[in-house]
Each structure stands twice: as C-alpha cells, then as structure tokens.
C-alpha cells in the first residue's frame, strides 16, 4: 500500500473472502460458517500464523454450545460463499465470521477430493 498505508489504516478496514468449489457437487470437506452473532469475544483465541518470512495472527475458536453452525452441502461450481472474515468497525455489528470445513460422515467413500478457489479482498473505507 506504500505511502497510502497510514491513511488507509485510519479508516474502517474489512477482509472479505469469496470462496467457491471448482467442481461440484462438492461432497468432500464441505464448508461451514458460524453465525457471528453467537460468537462471544472470549470464544476467539489469538493464534500465530507463521509464514516463511513473517509472523501474522489469526483467531482460533473455542467450543461454545451457543454457537450456531451452518454448512453448504453439495455446492456446485456456480455457487459461492461471501465471508466477512474481519471488520475493524466495533459498533455491535459482526466483526469476525468463524469458518472451516469438516469431515462429513455422510460423504461417499468415492467422493472426489475438494478443489476450491478463494479470492481475498481488503476493503478500505475513508476515515
């Protein structure tokens, strides 16, 4: 972001992901998302995100029976998930959206391995 970084970071920043399977129907490791309104701040644990040349941070999610999880079974290549992964606005709206994939016990043993594509965008709002 070069010389614009300081100014951009003064305003609201969001991390938005667009995710979709390359082939469908997706039966192996379907995506799951947690209703952000059911996630307490104490449920989020800072975790190191280790890269070859730097150290970042992400959140791990602790178990809470209040969480409401949803999943997208058998997604097709024309379907996509839009995920707000992070939002610096702290006014009561959802700031983080826990998401994962999981081993679905109903997956047929001959299901094709999951192949997907993801686009991550940084969205900057002026201060």
């Amino acid at each position: 972001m070069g010389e614009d970084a300081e100014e951009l970071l003064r305003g609201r920043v969001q991390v938005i992901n667009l995710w979709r399977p390359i082939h469908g129907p997706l039966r192996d490791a379907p995506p799951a998302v947690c209703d952000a309104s059911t996630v307490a701040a104490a449920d989020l644990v800072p975790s190191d995100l280790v890269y070859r040349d730097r150290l970042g941070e992400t959140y791990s999610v602790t178990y809470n029976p209040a969480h409401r999880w949803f999943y997208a079974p058998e997604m097709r290549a024309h379907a996509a998930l839009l995920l707000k992964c992070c939002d610096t606005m702290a006014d009561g709206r959802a700031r983080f959206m826990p998401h994962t994939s999981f081993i679905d016990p109903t997956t047929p043993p001959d299901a094709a391995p999951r192949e997907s594509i993801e686009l991550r965008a940084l969205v900057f709002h002026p201060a």
Side-chain angles (χ1 to χ4, degrees):
M1 296 180 289
E3 62 189 45
D4 297 326
E6 198 171 307
E7 179 65 28
L8 289 170
L9 293 174
R10 281 193 190 107
R12 178 182 180 191
V13 180
Q14 296 173 295
V15 178
I16 308 291
N17 285 13
L18 177 69
W19 183 96
R20 74 170 184 84
I22 294 174
H23 306 288
L26 176 66
R27 293 189 175 105
D28 178 47
V33 297
C34 189
D35 176 349
S37 71
T38 68
V39 180
D43 298 340
L44 302 173
V45 179
S47 302
D48 287 343
L49 193 55
V50 180
Y51 296 95
R52 193 174 323 136
D53 58 342
R54 64 186 170 89
L55 185 65
E57 187 174 86
T58 188
Y59 283 110
S60 293
V61 182
T62 60
Y63 173 75
N64 183 332
H67 292 164
R68 289 186 344 176
W69 285 89
F70 301 90
Y71 81 106
E74 300 198 12
M75 283 183 71
R76 306 287 202 263
H78 67 274
L81 289 175
L82 193 60
L83 309 167
K84 180 170 74 168
C85 295
C86 179
D87 191 339
T88 59
M89 183 67 75
D91 63 354
R93 71 185 79 201
R95 295 199 57 216
F96 304 100
M97 177 184 236
H99 59 284
T100 189
S101 63
F102 68 100
I103 298 170
D104 183 349
T106 67
T107 299
D110 61 344
R114 174 174 126 165
E115 294 181 86
S116 59
I117 188 165
E118 179 176 350
L119 171 76
R120 181 169 295 167
L122 298 175
V123 180
F124 298 97
H125 302 261

